[in-house]
Amino acid sequence: KFGLYDYFLVKWNYSYFPNCTNPEEESKILTEMISEKADDPIYRYGKQQGNIFDPSSQSEDLGDDAVKASIYGIKNLKYVMNNLNEWVGAKDKDYAYRQSIWNGIISQYVRYINHIYANVGGIYVNEKYEGDPRPFFKSVPRAKQEESLIFLLNEIKDLDWLEKQEVIENMALTGTPASYLRSRLVDALLASTLKVNLSALKSSEAKPYTSKECMDDIYASVWENTIKDRVINNAEKDIQKAFIKSIIKGSNLVSEKEGGKSTISSNYLRGIQLPEFVEQKNIHDFGYMGYNDYLNPCNTSMDAINPIAGFSFGTTVSFNLMPSLENLYYKVLLDSKSLLKKRIKTCLDKETKSHYQLLVHQIEKTLN
């Protein structure tokens, strides 16, 4: 159905002005038509720049509450997983259709997660002419950033539903997408500290959300049960391993030759990418261009983070000098080491203790 923006677009493109005697007069009227709507979000055109920068300009996301929308969406995906075998049954004898649906569930889940991730350190971007009331840049409010981060931190602890055995046991071997997504999301959340840093600098709030507060919140979630000296499950172990690996790289303590190129700086504008087997299947089914243009929930080509379509240039972010947060990651690494060594002495579960010992070994190897 046509919305108000669509009717306005048609009016702007096709109105006839018989009293105008030259193109300049017509141009003035058309410009005024846009300026009159400049403060109404219904008429706003948001550039879908392909990056995780402006949470209000994303494909398949026209709402104002990505967390609430994604809660509903994820609930639907879980419902599909729980009923897929019953719905399809004997009609899908070679399991190919179920494989396709499962790939689609993973793709859509990643899209929902990226919509929420965009809020963390996000900055709204408005194209404007002089005199338009809306600001060119406006940081996402602190409360929305914190809500989004907490949702994502809780979400990665509960991904086992993606691997419902009754659904995937007869499909091709694909590894564990839940573990993969946990690792990618941990990388992305730690990378978001750079976005949060920029967002805080541009914020008009008295107490904007800072990169240190963001890191503290991530740390508290990752080590929650370790701090409380509880036995941790396999999902928490995956998250902690990914956390230490990413923090080591972010602190730049390992040379690039040894695989230490920082995932933090290289991923600060990117979101969570799909597992490779899902991406390759989508490319096979829809072609590379079709996949990247329409299906990829996180377009990772460098061209995609350049400004596109619109009436002004430069609505993305460009650093002459990337902000340095290595000291923040280094402190977190030391804090993690201290916590783990303390828990090795008190932990009674052998598997959990062995997990902690391995993490301490990785940290000490890096520090030495």
Side-chain angles (χ1 to χ4, degrees), residues 229 342-350 352-353 356:
D229 206 4
K342 186 186 298 182
R343 286 294 163 260
I344 288 171
K345 295 177 182 178
T346 60
C347 181
L348 299 178
D349 181 71
K350 290 183 179 180
T352 301
K353 179 180 285 191
Y356 291 158

Side-chain angles (χ1 to χ4, degrees), residues 279-290:
E279 190 171 71
Q280 292 305 313
K281 181 66 166 61
N282 285 336
I283 292 173
H284 175 270
D285 290 346
F286 303 100
Y288 183 80
M289 294 298 292

Side-chain angles (χ1 to χ4, degrees), residues 312-350:
S312 68
F313 187 82
T315 56
T316 187
V317 60
S318 178
F319 289 114
N320 290 323
L321 183 63
M322 182 72 71
S324 175
L325 297 178
E326 288 96 336
N327 61 321
L328 182 61
Y329 306 123
Y330 180 68
K331 182 182 182 303
V332 169
L333 195 62
L334 295 180
D335 290 344
S336 300
K337 176 188 172 184
S338 176
L339 171 63
L340 288 166
K341 294 191 86 168
K342 186 186 298 182
R343 286 294 163 260
I344 288 171
K345 295 177 182 178
T346 60
C347 181
L348 299 178
D349 181 71
K350 290 183 179 180

Side-chain angles (χ1 to χ4, degrees), residues 266-290:
S266 61
N267 288 332
Y268 80 102
L269 276 181
R270 306 192 189 286
I272 298 88
Q273 300 173 38
L274 285 174
E276 186 177 359
F277 77 90
V278 178
E279 190 171 71
Q280 292 305 313
K281 181 66 166 61
N282 285 336
I283 292 173
H284 175 270
D285 290 346
F286 303 100
Y288 183 80
M289 294 298 292

Side-chain angles (χ1 to χ4, degrees), residues 6-19:
D6 302 299
Y7 286 110
F8 177 73
L9 185 66
V10 171
K11 181 180 179 181
W12 191 89
N13 273 287
Y14 297 103
S15 289
Y16 174 56
F17 304 102
N19 296 325

Side-chain angles (χ1 to χ4, degrees), residues 252-301:
N252 284 333
L253 292 171
V254 182
S255 68
E256 193 170 323
K257 267 186 184 177
E258 299 174 87
K261 186 175 181 181
S262 175
T263 57
I264 303 297
S265 61
S266 61
N267 288 332
Y268 80 102
L269 276 181
R270 306 192 189 286
I272 298 88
Q273 300 173 38
L274 285 174
E276 186 177 359
F277 77 90
V278 178
E279 190 171 71
Q280 292 305 313
K281 181 66 166 61
N282 285 336
I283 292 173
H284 175 270
D285 290 346
F286 303 100
Y288 183 80
M289 294 298 292
Y291 168 67
N292 264 333
D293 289 347
Y294 301 107
L295 296 173
N296 190 351
C298 178
N299 194 326
T300 57
S301 69

